[in-house]
Amino acid sequence: MSDLADLTISAAGVGLRSGEFSATDLLEAVHKRATMTEADLHAYLTIDRVGAAKAAVAAESAFRRGEDHGPLQGIPIALKDNMVTRAIETTASSKILAGWVPPYDATVVSRLKQAGSVIIGKTNLDEFAMGSSTENSAYGLTRNPWNPDTVPGGSSGGSAAAVAVGSALGSLGSDTGGSIRQPASFCGVVGVKPTYGLVSRYGLIAFASSLDQIGPFTRTVGDAALLLQAIAGHDPMDSTSYQGAIPDATSGLDAGVQGLRIGLITEMMGGEGYDPEVIAATRATVSKLENAGATVTEISMPSVDYALSAYYLIAPAECSANLARFDGVRYGLRVGGSTTEEMMANTRGEGFGPEVKRRILLGTYALSAGYYDAYYAQAQRVRTLVINDFNRAYETVDVLISPTAPTTAFKVGEKASDPLAMYLSDICTIPSNLSGHPGMSVPVGLDAAGLPIGVQILAPALGEPVMFRVAAEIERQAAFADRAVLATSAVPR
Amino acid sequence: MTYEAVIGIETHVELSTSSKMFCACPVDTDSEPNTNVCPVCLGLPGALPVMNEKAVEWAMMIGHGLNCEIVGHSVMSRKNYFYPDMPKNYQISQYDLPLCINGHLDIETDEGVRRVGVTRVHMEEDTGKSSHIGGDSGRIQDALYSLIDFNRAGTPLMEIVSEPDMRTPAEARAFVSELREIVLALGVSDAKLEDGSMRFDGNISMRPGGTEGFGVKVEIKNMNSMRSLQQALEYEIERQTELLVDGHEVVQETRHWNEGAGKTESMRSKEEAFDYRYFPEPDLVPLAVDEAWDRRVLAELPELPSQARSRFEDLGLDPEAAALVARGETGPLFAAAVEAGADPKSAANWLTGEVMAWTRRNNTDPAATPLTGKHIAQLSTMQGDGRLSASAAKEVLGWVLAGEGSPEEVAEARDLVQMSDAGELQGIVDYVLAENPEAVAKLAEGDEKVLGYLVGQVMKASGGKADPKLARELLAT
Ligand SMILES: [Zn+2]
């Protein structure tokens, strides 16, 4: 391997343990890659060189002492900047949190540290995770490594781009309506939204609490399983975190799909807004699974047509409350005023970007007296229908498959002024956020323009083992992982 | 036409659990400002609430104390409004599915017992405390700047909502006072009105006497004592009645009780009322209380004031004395005194009389003094067998309350024990008889008046320690 930054997590683990290279060597390769690519891509908001160097040295001495905390020891990992990190500025890409240095670590951050991983820094996102292109960042947009004229997707665009380009071996994102899976698809990497409650949300700056879930970005399905196992598990600080035994995502990676029942979601296999190349790639993927011994059926899920509308009521409603705390009183930006109310209004007026304001207004309206039943309560009923549709589907199939997004990466600026067109980018991912079920995106090929296409695998609650089992087979059939390094060649070094 | 008041009361009680409602910070408002805080109760980005089970159990106890049904499936909700001392700018509270519903509380009124419905008891979190510096009113409007202490933020707070079943300010006061007794007996709060650990809002409307409908309702805030509750309601009855008699309408609004001016003032009208945009709190799962849990809580429920009162009546106290002594301050001491062998009537007299008077003078309460039930038993025994005179007993009690020891020890050390031994006193009697031959002669002639004089001489000769009753007996024979 010519460049350590192009290694997978598992390959790097082998090299670290054999003494072929040290954690510091690995970190330096990743830093070098970041230095080469950041000016063009802007995947990172903050790179913590000092903290990472210390963590790499600590991992090295742990190896020397014969201490092994598992597959992430010494591995450079990036974090989406909506996960709080003690002593590292955390802004969620918002002006309203400029300069805020949290006094505590999110649970996922503590777990990564305990596992011996090296936190490289904090990646760019759409402000407060609201967006699908990482253009809504107060600190400038992130570009797609495969073609810098296109967006990396969002909201976890920075985390996806960093992994694609090799300025991280793995990263964490958060997925509220597709914010891990859609950018994974756009950037040609693997992205996982686990079952709601599998990964603690403590320390994740909330967008929509009942939908938010943290998950990994990696270059391979196997790496994603390793990263997921390290962060999953009950957290007493998060009442919504799952208390039972954690399903082992790594358990079926080599099992193949012989005998598995796969459903193709009819409503997501074409129609307005769907790119025929994406549909064709999805069908080709399913055929390969069929050849590998799976049975495939088409399954109609009528409620998913209403999922987007329900999502754009529930998520804004929750965000309108979640973001109320940013008022200039205790932390972050404060813009003065002659009364407390004026100070709060001025702070929020200047501190929030237009998309955040749009969603706060939407949510406030949906919860208002006289409108609650027509909007919020109705959306919750649709949510129940979506859950019922999924549960019915999983009576007859083991996993569901669809495109991850209707299109490949779109041009920077293309949808920036048309929020509704932007919202449609998440039409395939949103239903599983409403149901709380797991989903992941696996790259399967490139379109004619040379941009990656991702296929989405959905599974029932805690169905991570079967979801990863199918994902691993898709990865083997597509042989895309070997091409992941192509991403780096698209960017001048 | 005469008008009748329709009054309902909302009471907030801060629980004195060891930790806050949704985090592990201690409930302790006496510490330096902003020292009992963490990411959760400061509302830092990313922090999440976790329910304090003890607070839920204590809320269930209050529910049982008020004869409520405990709801098996209840839900926390977010109540949204902006206020600088509320860290998240929403309060985690309960809305359509509270923990306790359909209770009642019986209160004594001039017309006998009145049953006041308790609509609901629900759980929520308290806010921080603002101090507004540099203004005349102490309110935020004219302050130069404000300081916020978040030590109180997240303290478990119970809201108890009554039905509009009260008809007079005195009934409202009786309701709040009985509610306070229950909270104290349950031991779930110190329920101090002056510290705000118990506070209440009232709503009041007027209707023509004898009718059943409801008039326009006015909500009253800032009533910080039982007295101000009664005064504010009396003021409102007068104000609203006057309006109605003059043919005007009462405006639906929230009014602020101005203690200094002795009147209520308009705060905000119905149109300016907040829209709290309640919705279920997605960070907390619904609260499931099963029968087993409820039974466990019920089994640990302490004696309620009404139960204590009837038990004390069974011990021979009349209803008034039983009600007086059953109060939170004295109830436990009384029970302990009777347990230690005190005569119930004498123990009740001591507690509701001298003990309460002394603690009020010294600005404390009986539980904070070294006084024990055993002390009271000893005191009443010593008075009963004549070793302490009434005045000496009072003096002894004062020293006991001040921490000088048991009644026996104090009486001994301060030489207050009466000469109640006939043999010991006989010598003094003989001496007085020998010194007063004239009086003795008159006594022999049947002049009973001199007996008083002679008793006085015995008291003087004994330095005040003689038992006057015994002295009289000895002189007469
Ligand atoms: Zn706290």
Side-chain angles (χ1 to χ4, degrees), chain A residues 104 203 322 324-325 327 330-331 369, chain B residues 42-47 78 87 89 275:
Chain A
Y104 77 108
N322 282 332
R325 68 189 63 194
D327 58 6
R330 284 147 302 132
Y331 43 77
Chain B
L42 281 178
L44 294 192
R78 290 186 184 178
N89 285 319
D275 176 0

Side-chain angles (χ1 to χ4, degrees), chain A residues 9 17 40 52 90 93 141 153 160 162 164 167 200 214 230 288-289 293 299 304 340 347 387 430 439 441 444 465 490:
Chain A
I9 292 173
R17 280 166 186 77
D40 295 296
T90 301
S93 284
L141 54 85
S167 56
S200 168
I214 292 173
K288 287 177 187 166
L289 292 175
I299 288 194
V304 302
T340 315
T347 300
I387 295 170
I430 278 174
S441 180
V444 295

Side-chain angles (χ1 to χ4, degrees), chain A residues 371-454:
Chain A
Y371 297 99
Y372 182 92
D373 284 328
Y375 294 124
Y376 185 78
Q378 184 70 4
Q380 291 292 8
R381 284 189 281 272
V382 171
R383 186 173 191 170
T384 304
L385 294 181
V386 171
I387 295 170
N388 293 344
D389 263 6
F390 271 119
N391 288 339
R392 226 181 348 261
Y394 291 129
E395 282 170 14
T396 56
V397 297
D398 299 304
V399 296
L400 290 165
I401 281 184
S402 75
T404 305
T407 68
T408 54
F410 47 84
K411 289 253 170 344
V412 169
E414 187 183 326
K415 298 183 181 182
S417 58
D418 186 354
L420 287 179
M422 186 76 88
Y423 296 172
L424 284 170
S425 193
D426 294 327
I427 197 153
C428 301
T429 44
I430 278 174
S432 50
N433 290 93
L434 291 174
S435 70
H437 296 150
M440 68 191 284
S441 180
V442 180
V444 295
L446 301 177
D447 69 2
L451 291 170
I453 298 170

Side-chain angles (χ1 to χ4, degrees), chain A residues 166-212:
Chain A
S167 56
L169 267 62
S171 65
L172 296 186
S174 65
D175 190 315
T176 307
S179 281
I180 291 174
R181 290 161 288 166
Q182 185 256 24
S185 160
F186 281 17
C187 290
V189 295
V190 176
V192 183
K193 181 203 93 77
T195 303
Y196 183 82
L198 196 57
V199 178
S200 168
R201 292 184 294 117
Y202 189 74
L204 172 68
I205 300 178
F207 161 17
S209 316
S210 75
L211 303 161
D212 294 343

Side-chain angles (χ1 to χ4, degrees), chain B residues 20 22-25 36-42 153:
Chain B
K20 292 186 181 179
F22 301 116
C23 63
C25 292
N36 295 325
V37 292
C38 73
V40 177
C41 57
L42 281 178

